[in-house]
Amino acid sequence: MAARAHTPELVIDVTGVTKRFGPKTVVNGIDLQVKRGEIFGFLGPNGSGKTTFIRMLCGLLTPDGGSGRCLGHDLLTEQAEIKRHVGYMTQRFSYYEDLSIRENLDFVARMYAIPDRKHAVEQSLERLGLTHRRHQLAGQLSGGWKQRLALAACLIHQPQLLLLDEPTAGVDPKARREFWDELHRLTGEDGLTVLITTHYMDEAERCHRLAYLAYGNLLTCGTVREVVESAGLSTWQVTGPNLTEVARALRGREGIEQVVAFGNTLHVSGRDAAKLDAALANVRHPAQTWTRARAGLEDVFISLMDTAKDNFA
């Protein structure tokens, strides 16, 4: 079969990408396309294959099956070239804690053999608001400032693609918001492309498009609206007294796929609206308020996870 022509607007364009470790298939035949300038969210539970997929994209792992291109370079044969143009931010802080911010950035600049290292470091410090902390040891930084240092290091060689693996885990909400503001600035002004994994639904909603991975399989892909609509969930929102008893009574009934508490409300969902309504017929209490609600991303992903468990676990 002839190879599919690569479209220049596609920064990531892969077909059937598969990775096995021994008898276990960790990534199972994934097809994915990411356009230039996109922030693409990659979601899924721990152990779903997200990190393995990212490591194949940036040339750290070789796929066992499938084909594709990253930044126009072949995923199987041009891994060294891919590495030169990708910035990869790992889940764990991976810089030297006994070196200062400036010293860490200078070390990374040496690794990439950047010609004018001093200028590149100064530019990176200024770009991420790190200039006034340049002499502070990395080990003394809070989570948010470590995150900024890691992002500065990823950007110092001016990559065309950022691969960010749960970069905001353990970071406070203000630092997370600032980080995402910076990502949107980078894609909007510099044309950078970002693929990011996250467990936060508010972050997922800030992505241009997103995909959900479970047990190594890609379950859905599209904009937030497309993902929610394709799930086909019918949802009721319940407020009022005795919600714990209501939840207990509803779980396990035919037509009800999930009952999830969100603060002082319950979300009751199912894919078959008629069966869902029938299951609720004798449960509603006059003191409670039942209203139709639009399913949210969290509702959808819980449903997808349950479906994946039945089909792939």
Side-chain angles (χ1 to χ4, degrees), residues 205 210 220 222-233 271 294-301:
E205 291 183 347
L210 49 87
T220 188
T223 64
V224 172
R225 185 184 184 90
E226 289 168 346
V227 166
V228 170
E229 289 181 351
S230 67
L233 280 181
R271 292 180 187 273
R294 179 179 178 269
L297 272 183
E298 189 160 327
D299 298 314
V300 171
F301 290 147

Side-chain angles (χ1 to χ4, degrees), residues 26-39:
V26 179
V27 174
N28 186 26
I30 287 183
D31 300 344
L32 190 71
Q33 296 181 328
V34 178
K35 300 173 185 175
R36 190 173 306 279
E38 273 193 314
I39 299 178

Side-chain angles (χ1 to χ4, degrees), residues 50-312:
K50 302 187 302 295
T51 298
T52 299
F53 184 74
I54 282 180
R55 288 177 177 171
M56 286 190 284
L57 286 181
C58 65
L60 294 177
L61 289 174
T62 301
D64 295 317
S67 62
R69 290 183 172 274
C70 183
L71 294 168
H73 302 292
D74 191 281
L75 212 61
L76 302 176
T77 62
E78 298 179 284
Q79 294 170 324
E81 193 62 31
I82 291 172
K83 290 174 186 176
R84 294 190 184 98
H85 302 288
V86 168
Y88 175 35
M89 189 169 168
T90 60
Q91 291 180 11
R92 294 186 178 183
F93 184 71
S94 55
Y95 298 95
Y96 293 99
E97 297 203 348
D98 56 347
L99 295 181
S100 69
I101 289 176
R102 189 198 63 78
E103 289 168 336
N104 268 291
L105 292 177
D106 184 69
F107 175 78
V108 175
R110 286 174 182 267
M111 294 282 289
Y112 282 103
I114 295 174
D116 190 350
R117 273 198 341 270
K118 184 177 180 181
H119 175 72
V121 169
E122 293 300 321
Q123 191 177 47
S124 190
L125 287 167
E126 184 176 349
R127 188 181 203 179
L128 272 299
L130 293 165
T131 303
H132 66 294
R133 291 177 178 262
R134 59 193 298 146
H135 299 301
Q136 189 170 351
L137 295 181
Q140 297 175 348
L141 299 173
S142 66
W145 287 104
K146 283 183 176 180
Q147 178 196 64
R148 284 199 193 194
L149 168 56
L151 183 59
C154 286
L155 293 169
I156 199 166
H157 62 296
Q158 298 183 333
Q160 300 169 42
L161 170 65
L162 280 184
L163 301 172
L164 309 177
D165 198 358
E166 294 186 34
T168 59
V171 177
D172 67 76
K174 182 175 182 295
R176 285 203 292 124
R177 177 168 293 185
E178 290 172 350
F179 183 83
W180 274 87
D181 288 344
E182 182 63 24
L183 290 187
H184 277 276
R185 189 191 67 77
L186 289 167
T187 56
E189 296 178 9
D190 301 349
L192 198 64
T193 306
V194 177
L195 187 145
I196 181 168
T197 71
T198 179
H199 286 127
Y200 299 111
M201 292 302 103
D202 62 318
E203 292 187 350
E205 291 183 347
R206 296 193 68 173
C207 297
H208 298 121
R209 289 193 301 140
L210 49 87
Y212 189 84
L213 192 71
Y215 301 102
N217 294 275
L218 192 63
L219 303 186
T220 188
C221 181
T223 64
V224 172
R225 185 184 184 90
E226 289 168 346
V227 166
V228 170
E229 289 181 351
S230 67
L233 280 181
S234 180
T235 300
W236 284 91
Q237 181 174 286
V238 191
T239 59
N242 304 319
L243 294 186
T244 301
E245 288 79 1
V246 172
R248 189 181 299 117
L250 292 176
R251 288 192 176 100
R253 289 196 174 198
E254 184 181 0
I256 297 177
E257 292 191 24
Q258 55 178 287
V259 181
V260 183
F262 288 90
N264 295 321
T265 67
L266 286 180
H267 278 198
V268 185
S269 303
R271 292 180 187 273
D272 188 317
K275 287 184 178 180
L276 176 64
D277 291 350
L280 301 177
N282 299 319
V283 179
R284 301 180 186 183
H285 190 280
Q288 295 160 350
T289 301
W290 292 69
T291 54
R292 289 281 187 185
R294 179 179 178 269
L297 272 183
E298 189 160 327
D299 298 314
V300 171
F301 290 147
I302 292 171
S303 176
L304 287 171
M305 189 62 218
D306 289 343
T307 302
K309 194 177 295 182
D310 293 336
N311 294 336
F312 304 116

